[in-house]
Amino acid sequence: MNILRFSFMPLLKELIYPPISPYEQGFLVVDDIHKIYWEVSGNPAGVPVIILHGGPGGSSSPIGRQFFDPKHYKIIQFDQRGCGKSTPLGELRNNDTDHLISDMELLREHLHIESWHVSGGSWGSTLALAYGIQHPKKCLSFLLRGIFMMRDCEIDWFMNGMGEIFPESYKKFKNLLPQEERSDLLNNYYKRMTTGEYQDQIKYAVSWNAYESSCAYFTPKKSSFNTAEEKNSALTVGRMEAHYFIHNRFKPHDFILKNIETIRHIPAIAIQGRYDIVCPMRTAYDLSCAWPELNLMIVNAAGHSAGEFELGKTLLEASNTLKSL
């Protein structure tokens, strides 16, 4: 999942590390269609950590690296296929989990990194776990937040179950579609975000993002999609999330849980807001049951967003804990 705009409590801004700029950046050609944007910040001789953004369809954020000590870590970020500064923006062809894992390996080799800490929140946690299952020897540890494993029950919860907690948001989301299309929100939203007039695609994408954003905070906040940039970002996120939900589910749907043995020996911390509605607590609990060695840190007064004080504070503490590895 993805939240387009970070909304940080002022106290958290004072707690995390100061803003830093990349000292190296570029584009990596990964196939005949896609070029991915990447950047490196922090300590050039530090311990590598790769930060995986949410979505699918989100993008890297400068704030994301402020949770990691820039004197200790060599911080790698990249925009996944079709996202952020990667080109072509919003491209759905050759865009699935296996391609993203392959891109991570190409980037690791391009940067001459032997192994790295792997960190990701929401959809980023899904990609981190899937990457680790394919390439466990390249992972020093996992630092995860807002666990999402792309199971059928989790996708159904996102499309319908969140409405049990936020019925007013769900009603707006559902009722934008014609009556005859409301029984299949996922496929009909996907159709309307990928076909037809551009302005109609934007309308449905903004509705998709507004629904998600309204459910993402312990204390609900309103998100705006007024500028052209905000609307284009909403379209990328909406299209990409729906595309992955329909075309890129794991087979079997509980693939991650069935393959946890591959990574159980790797140190891992998972941070979960007790009242995360977007990626509910049950998912993190199921992961911890399959992975007893996982350090599951439950933050009781928190929802989904890393911008909430207690959740962000715990994420910062966890990244500092991993410095001892």
Side-chain angles (χ1 to χ4, degrees), residues 76-95:
I76 299 101
Q77 295 174 280
F78 78 103
D79 290 340
Q80 297 160 27
R81 292 186 179 212
C83 302
K85 296 179 182 178
S86 294
T87 61
L89 181 65
E91 178 58 63
L92 302 179
R93 291 175 298 165
N94 291 4
N95 202 328

Side-chain angles (χ1 to χ4, degrees), residues 11 80 82 173 313 320:
L11 288 176
Q80 297 160 27
F173 175 61
K313 178 174 176 285
N320 285 331

Side-chain angles (χ1 to χ4, degrees), residues 198-211:
Y198 174 74
Q199 289 304 320
D200 286 335
Q201 293 181 30
I202 289 287
K203 179 177 71 173
Y204 285 95
V206 166
S207 173
W208 178 288
N209 281 267
Y211 169 57

Side-chain angles (χ1 to χ4, degrees), residues 6-165:
F6 282 92
S7 179
F8 278 82
M9 293 184 177
L11 288 176
L12 185 56
K13 288 185 178 180
E14 298 176 7
L15 189 65
I16 59 179
Y17 291 100
I20 55 173
S21 298
Y23 63 79
E24 189 178 4
Q25 56 199 329
F27 288 88
L28 183 64
V29 176
V30 291
D31 66 13
D32 292 339
I33 299 174
H34 294 274
K35 288 195 300 184
I36 61 168
Y37 171 77
W38 58 269
E39 57 188 30
V40 186
S41 55
N43 182 354
V47 180
V49 57
I50 185 166
I51 304 173
L52 306 176
H53 67 70
S59 61
S60 299
S61 167
I63 297 172
R65 52 183 173 256
Q66 290 182 246
F67 290 96
F68 294 86
D69 183 350
K71 294 181 180 179
H72 178 83
Y73 289 108
K74 179 176 186 175
I75 305 166
I76 299 101
Q77 295 174 280
F78 78 103
D79 290 340
Q80 297 160 27
R81 292 186 179 212
C83 302
K85 296 179 182 178
S86 294
T87 61
L89 181 65
E91 178 58 63
L92 302 179
R93 291 175 298 165
N94 291 4
N95 202 328
D96 56 44
T97 308
D98 284 340
H99 277 104
L100 300 187
I101 291 171
S102 175
D103 294 348
M104 290 173 63
E105 277 296 276
L106 288 173
L107 180 58
R108 184 186 61 77
E109 293 169 357
H110 177 74
L111 297 175
H112 306 290
I113 291 171
E114 179 61 30
S115 56
W116 46 17
H117 296 284
V118 182
S119 179
S122 201
W123 157 254
S125 73
T126 322
L127 182 56
L129 291 166
Y131 171 83
I133 289 167
Q134 285 200 27
H135 301 284
K137 293 182 179 179
K138 305 305 177 185
C139 303
L140 298 172
S141 78
F142 298 100
L143 176 53
L144 313 172
R145 176 194 57 79
I147 307 303
F148 180 65
M149 295 190 290
M150 193 94 93
R151 295 179 296 174
D152 293 348
C153 59
E154 296 167 47
I155 295 171
D156 182 65
W157 170 262
F158 180 88
M159 297 305 306
N160 298 288
M162 293 196 302
E164 296 297 314
I165 313 299

Side-chain angles (χ1 to χ4, degrees), residues 121-319:
S122 201
W123 157 254
S125 73
T126 322
L127 182 56
L129 291 166
Y131 171 83
I133 289 167
Q134 285 200 27
H135 301 284
K137 293 182 179 179
K138 305 305 177 185
C139 303
L140 298 172
S141 78
F142 298 100
L143 176 53
L144 313 172
R145 176 194 57 79
I147 307 303
F148 180 65
M149 295 190 290
M150 193 94 93
R151 295 179 296 174
D152 293 348
C153 59
E154 296 167 47
I155 295 171
D156 182 65
W157 170 262
F158 180 88
M159 297 305 306
N160 298 288
M162 293 196 302
E164 296 297 314
I165 313 299
F166 290 93
E168 70 280 22
S169 299
Y170 179 71
K171 182 178 180 180
K172 291 179 182 178
F173 175 61
K174 185 176 183 177
N175 286 358
L176 184 64
L177 288 171
Q179 179 71 43
E180 64 272 15
E181 296 183 11
R182 295 173 191 170
S183 61
D184 188 354
L185 296 178
L186 177 55
N187 281 288
N188 285 311
Y189 256 91
Y190 179 69
K191 178 184 70 176
R192 290 181 173 274
M193 291 187 291
T194 55
T195 60
E197 296 293 330
Y198 174 74
Q199 289 304 320
D200 286 335
Q201 293 181 30
I202 289 287
K203 179 177 71 173
Y204 285 95
V206 166
S207 173
W208 178 288
N209 281 267
Y211 169 57
E212 180 177 352
S213 297
S214 69
C215 301
Y217 297 93
F218 185 64
T219 302
K221 302 177 186 295
K222 288 187 177 180
S223 297
S224 64
F225 304 92
N226 298 320
T227 69
E229 181 181 3
E230 289 169 342
K231 291 176 181 178
N232 284 330
S233 295
L235 182 58
T236 300
V237 171
R239 287 172 52 137
M240 204 73 72
E241 288 187 348
H243 168 73
Y244 269 72
F245 288 178
I246 294 171
H247 300 294
N248 294 292
R249 300 192 187 197
F250 294 118
K251 296 179 181 179
H253 77 109
D254 55 351
F255 168 83
I256 290 175
L257 292 179
K258 286 185 178 297
N259 288 275
I260 283 298
E261 288 296 328
T262 307
I263 58 174
R264 274 186 60 179
H265 63 287
I266 302 172
I269 299 173
I271 299 164
Q272 181 69 35
R274 170 74 69 182
Y275 298 102
D276 186 337
I277 304 303
V278 178
C279 296
M281 175 69 204
R282 180 70 202 211
T283 303
Y285 178 75
D286 289 348
L287 181 63
S288 70
C289 290
W291 191 354
E293 298 83 2
L294 175 70
N295 180 7
L296 175 59
M297 305 176 71
I298 300 170
V299 184
N300 284 315
H304 184 68
S305 173
E308 296 177 8
F309 180 78
E310 292 297 332
L311 203 64
K313 178 174 176 285
T314 306
L315 179 60
L316 179 66
E317 292 169 351
S319 76

